[in-house]
Each structure stands twice: as C-alpha cells, then as structure tokens.
Amino acid sequence: MISFIDFNLFARIIASIIAIIVAYYIGKIAESQVKKARIEAPPEIIYNIARSLKMIAIIIGILVALSILEIDLTGLLIAAGFAGIVVGLAAQQTLSQLFAGIALIIEGRLKIGDSVKVGDDWGIVTSVGLLSTKIRLWSGEVLTIPNSNVMSSKIYNYSKSIARRADITIGISYNADISKAINIIKRVLDEKELVLAVPPPTVIVDNLGDSAVVLKILFWLPSKEYWTIRREIIREIKEALEKEGIEIPYHREYYGLSLR
Amino acid sequence: MNLPRGALVVEKISENIVRITKIINGASTSKLISTQTDSFITLKAIPPIGGSLSTNCIYATLPEPVTLTQGTRLQYDLKLPVDLGIFIGGDLVDVVPLGKVKYALYGPPDIGDICRYSDLSVINSYNEYIARAKVIFKTLSNVKTEISRLVIPIKEASVYLTEENEMYFSDIEVTVLSPLHVEIRVGVDTSYILLGKLISLFKGSGAFYVMKHGA
C-alpha cells in the first residue's frame, strides 16, 4: 500500500517536472519565434514581448505542475497575495526599475540604435529591457544602466533630431581682413554638400581675444553625418584660410627680461 | 559620357555584370550590378533624388514671393533641378546629380524634413539641366498669405520631355487653407473651386505634403 502511494507520488513529481520542462521549452520556442517574426514594431518591444511570453509559459507550467501535485492553488494564491506584499516591499528597487522600463518603452525616449548620452555616458543603445538599458559606449564597452537611473538622468537623444547645429570657433590674426576670412569660410561651407543651405550658415565675429579675432561659425548638418562632416570642415577651413594668406595665430605671451 | 561636373562610365564587364563608374568633382566611385543578358541600359532625367542623402521632397525658394488674396488663383512657372537616372531593364539602379547638390531643413530639427534644396544659385549651377514645373496656387483662406518657399513631394513626381526637347516636371498644386496649413500636391489631374470649396479630381495617387511650419 505504502509503495503504491510512493509510486503515485513519484509519478506525479515526475509529471510535474516534465510539465515545467515542457512549459520552459514552449516558452523558449515562443520567445525565439517572436524575436524572428517579421513584426513591424520597435525591436525593444519585440524583445520584451518575447521575454514576457517565455515567463508566462513558465508560470503556466509551474501552475500545471502544482495542480498535478494536487496542491490547493486557492490557498497558494492567498499565500501568494501576502507574499506579493512582502516581496513588493523587499523588491521596491526592482519594481521601480520595472516601471521605469515600461515607461521608457511606452514613451519611446530611447530606441535600439539611437545615439544617446545618458548622464555622462555616450554611445549607441543596444537594448531597452524591462529592468535595465544597455548602451555600447563609443569606446566599445557595453554599459548596463538600471532603468530607474536612466529615467532620473538627463537623456540626450541625438537620433531624435534629423539635423544638428555645429558650432566652431576659430581665431584669425588681428592683421587679417575679417570680411575676406568670413567669405572664405562661407565658400567652404557652401561647397560642402551636406552643410544645409537652410537654416543658412552664419559666421560672426564673436570676440576680440588676446591673440586673435575670434570668429564663430554656426551651421546645420544631418545628424547622422554630424561628426564626419564637422571634422572635415574644420580641416578645410584651416587649409582654405592658410591658402589665402589668413593667419590663424596661436596663443603667444611675451615676457620682457632686463639684465643689469 | 561627359557630365557637367565629371563623367559617367558604364561598362559591361561580363555577360551578366555591369560596372557603373561615376567621376564627380574628381572623385571616382564605382559599383557592380548584376543584370540579365538581354537587359537594356537607359539614361533618363528624373526628379532630384540623387546625392548623399535620400530625400522625398524638394525645398524650393521662389525667386519672388507670391501673395495670395482671398479666393484667388494664379499660375506660376517654376524651375526645378533634375538628376540623371540610370535604368537597367526598367529598374533604377543609380542616380547621378547633374548640378550642385544642397539640402535644406524644413521645420524644427526633431519633427521637420530634410529636402533637396533648390534656389536660383542651385538652378544656375544646373544650366540646361532643369525642368519647368507648372505651379497652380489657390487659396481657401480668408487672410492674405505670402508664399516664398515650397516643399514639393517628389515620390510620385516625374519628368517628361516635350517635342521641343524641353523638360517638364509633374504639375504642382498649392492650396492655402491657412498660413500654417499649405497643402502641396504633385501629379494632380485637375481641380477647381466651386462656391468657395475646393473640388479636386486626382489622377492616381498624387504625392502630398502639408507645410505646417509656414510657407
């Protein structure tokens, strides 16, 4: 009799383990199928739906396993309710990250592939999860930031704007013809295809410095080409000014020394 | 083939491969394209979609602003740049800009659009590589509206040659509903104002753009 009960219990334990394993694999298959599916939705939403499906499948598997073991789910649910309160208090930080993650995904502040600066960290968003966000820094490291930190940080999303303004300051000699220098700079900007014609580039005398007349150059570029074109323009302006005989002075200080 | 700013070389390097080499302002770029054995290579003038950026519109500044008063309508001839399209077997495989390429931002940088820029300086750089466009301005607004720029959608636009070898761009219709809502349609068949209401009959699916940041 005892051995029959033991066998029955053993069979139920085996069946419940199989239920959990099957549910786990179903969840895994569902996750991979959703990730591969041709769905027109942002990748971070697809990623989170896939993970949620896997979690739901595992929870269903556990519930099936518990019912196979003939454990009363009503009592368990009441206990889960109390446990939920306790866990909720204990896992406040995790929950705040979870809600921050949901808010980030719904609001769309960050998307996979966006060029962003979160706090002092600058890079490309590689994933927006429910608990954390991953950014591949320009130096190559992958930084994982808890979502609550992301939400409370200043976020600069450079991919949200299709165009960005570049500001460059350049000093020319006090002996140089300012109008000529401005015309040369404007010509360089006009010849560059990706410097936007509207809003028009502006070159102004910004400051009379210690060693140079400081010109400020403001122009707009498509965001994706910002850094490439900006550095090309700095080089081309320097070359064009030098070619036309306009000196770009460097800071010099003269000290008088009298020997007696 | 000589181009205004360089040259275009199309070579058949094997039975099924064509190499297109563009030499523009001294810089040479080339690419290989797989073709079918009996494919034809055709060069056609097309709306200006070439250049470093892919755009869907032209930002055209008018040589002189147009002022529309209530219930009026006027027709205007606008010059627009055209690019050279390289077609293999009917497929557009490359685009060569024939003149100076510049871009313009219409609207704020976060919600605006970057379009190919066209003004007199750009048009002059194209010389003969321009198409004329018939622009019809209409207003349904009660207030006087001045228009100095147009954002023209080019997705559905086409360029065609007349018997006199003149290039023409698809007709453009500009309808002012308010100074901050100016609708621009390209490829419109016909439209008219009846009892103060705009009645439009469209040929196919004309491209459509709403200028919400002022014209």
Side-chain angles (χ1 to χ4, degrees):
Chain A
M1 187 68 185
I2 291 167
S3 63
F4 175 73
I5 292 167
D6 283 350
F7 177 76
N8 194 20
L9 181 65
F10 179 72
R12 276 188 280 150
I13 289 169
I14 295 291
S16 58
I17 290 169
I18 290 170
I20 292 171
I21 292 169
V22 168
Y24 174 77
Y25 279 104
I26 289 173
K28 215 173 167 187
I29 291 165
E31 183 188 29
S32 87
Q33 288 301 314
V34 170
K35 279 182 181 172
K36 285 184 212 160
R38 289 184 183 173
I39 304 169
E40 283 188 19
E44 60 275 11
I45 290 179
I46 294 172
Y47 172 78
N48 285 306
I49 288 174
R51 286 194 66 186
S52 304
L53 276 178
K54 187 181 167 187
M55 293 307 294
I56 289 167
I58 291 170
I59 289 167
I60 290 171
I62 291 169
L63 291 174
V64 169
L66 290 172
S67 69
I68 290 170
L69 291 171
E70 292 178 357
I71 293 170
D72 186 13
L73 289 179
T74 323
L76 199 75
L77 285 174
I78 294 165
F82 284 111
I85 295 167
V86 175
V87 170
L89 289 169
Q92 261 185 350
Q93 208 176 353
T94 309
L95 288 176
S96 79
Q97 283 166 17
L98 178 72
F99 288 118
I102 292 167
L104 270 177
I105 291 162
I106 292 170
E107 273 191 283
R109 285 194 205 179
L110 302 173
K111 288 196 176 80
I112 291 173
D114 282 358
S115 167
V116 294
K117 188 180 175 191
V118 179
D120 294 328
D121 300 304
W122 204 326
I124 297 277
V125 178
T126 55
S127 83
V128 183
L130 286 174
L131 297 178
S132 64
T133 296
K134 284 182 184 165
I135 296 173
R136 191 192 302 117
L137 304 179
W138 295 125
S139 50
E141 299 101 329
V142 176
L143 176 75
T144 304
I145 314 174
N147 281 337
S148 53
N149 291 20
V150 176
M151 283 296 276
S152 59
S153 301
K154 272 189 181 177
I155 303 173
Y156 292 88
N157 191 331
Y158 299 104
S159 301
K160 288 272 180 196
S161 295
I162 49 171
R164 284 178 67 190
R165 197 184 73 187
D167 299 5
I168 296 170
T169 46
I170 195 161
I172 58 165
S173 162
Y174 271 95
N175 297 325
D177 180 341
I178 295 174
S179 303
K180 187 181 171 189
I182 288 175
N183 285 337
I184 292 166
I185 294 167
K186 282 191 170 173
R187 194 188 66 218
V188 170
L189 296 173
D190 184 53
E191 283 169 3
K192 207 77 188 165
E193 183 178 319
L194 288 174
V195 172
L196 300 186
V198 179
T202 311
V203 186
I204 53 165
V205 178
D206 189 44
N207 187 16
L208 298 176
D210 292 340
S211 327
V213 177
V214 180
L215 302 179
K216 192 161 196 173
I217 308 159
L218 310 167
F219 55 96
W220 287 78
L221 294 168
S223 296
K224 284 182 182 169
E225 310 289 340
Y226 181 85
W227 291 108
T228 315
I229 305 298
R230 187 180 183 275
R231 63 172 176 254
E232 280 179 16
I233 286 198
I234 294 172
R235 183 174 55 81
E236 285 173 23
I237 286 174
K238 181 183 179 289
E239 285 171 358
L241 289 175
E242 280 177 352
K243 198 176 167 189
E244 298 284 341
I246 290 175
E247 187 194 353
I248 301 172
Y250 51 88
H251 185 70
R252 279 173 278 196
E253 286 183 9
Y254 294 96
Y255 298 96
L257 183 67
S258 62
L259 296 168
R260 291 187 181 180
Chain B
M1 178 187 177
N2 287 327
L3 296 175
R5 300 185 298 152
L8 173 71
V9 182
V10 183
E11 301 164 87
K12 192 152 191 169
I13 59 169
S14 76
E15 190 78 350
N16 298 100
I17 300 174
V18 168
R19 177 188 285 133
I20 295 176
T21 308
K22 290 189 280 186
I23 305 158
I24 296 172
N25 292 337
S28 173
T29 52
S30 66
K31 65 177 170 185
L32 299 175
I33 296 161
S34 67
T35 63
Q36 290 180 348
T37 318
D38 53 351
S39 295
F40 283 98
I41 299 170
T42 330
L43 303 177
K44 283 185 204 167
I46 57 167
I49 54 170
S52 310
L53 293 180
S54 169
T55 57
N56 289 323
C57 49
I58 306 173
Y59 181 113
T61 53
L62 302 180
E64 50 194 348
V66 170
T67 302
L68 295 167
T69 52
Q70 190 182 355
T72 55
R73 171 191 174 109
L74 73 88
Q75 189 177 315
Y76 190 95
D77 273 343
L78 186 68
K79 289 175 182 175
L80 293 171
V82 290
D83 286 351
L84 185 68
I86 304 167
F87 293 82
I88 295 182
D91 294 325
L92 179 66
V93 293
D94 208 346
V95 181
V96 185
L98 296 170
K100 182 178 171 182
V101 178
K102 292 292 279 180
Y103 298 93
L105 171 67
Y106 176 70
D110 53 340
I111 54 169
D113 288 301
I114 291 182
C115 306
R116 265 287 282 273
Y117 183 60
S118 172
D119 78 341
L120 280 180
S121 70
V122 171
I123 288 297
N124 288 340
S125 82
Y126 271 76
N127 298 320
E128 67 264 42
Y129 304 106
I130 52 161
R132 290 176 185 281
K134 186 176 84 178
V135 187
I136 297 164
F137 290 91
K138 298 168 184 176
T139 179
L140 297 178
S141 170
N142 301 330
V143 293
K144 182 185 78 177
T145 309
E146 188 174 283
I147 296 175
S148 58
R149 56 187 179 165
L150 296 175
V151 177
I152 303 160
I154 46 177
K155 210 175 166 189
E156 305 274 332
S158 56
V159 175
Y160 57 93
L161 274 175
T162 63
E163 284 179 351
E164 292 80 34
N165 241 10
E166 272 192 288
M167 278 188 283
Y168 272 85
F169 203 86
S170 306
D171 289 354
I172 299 163
E173 184 184 271
V174 180
T175 309
V176 179
L177 299 177
S178 81
L180 290 178
H181 190 112
V182 177
E183 293 181 357
I184 300 185
R185 289 175 196 272
V186 172
V188 176
D189 190 21
T190 182
S191 61
Y192 55 92
I193 295 171
L194 181 66
L195 301 172
K197 288 193 176 173
L198 180 74
I199 310 291
S200 300
L201 301 169
F202 301 112
K203 189 201 308 182
S205 52
F208 180 67
Y209 192 92
V210 180
M211 294 178 73
K212 288 183 177 171
H213 310 289

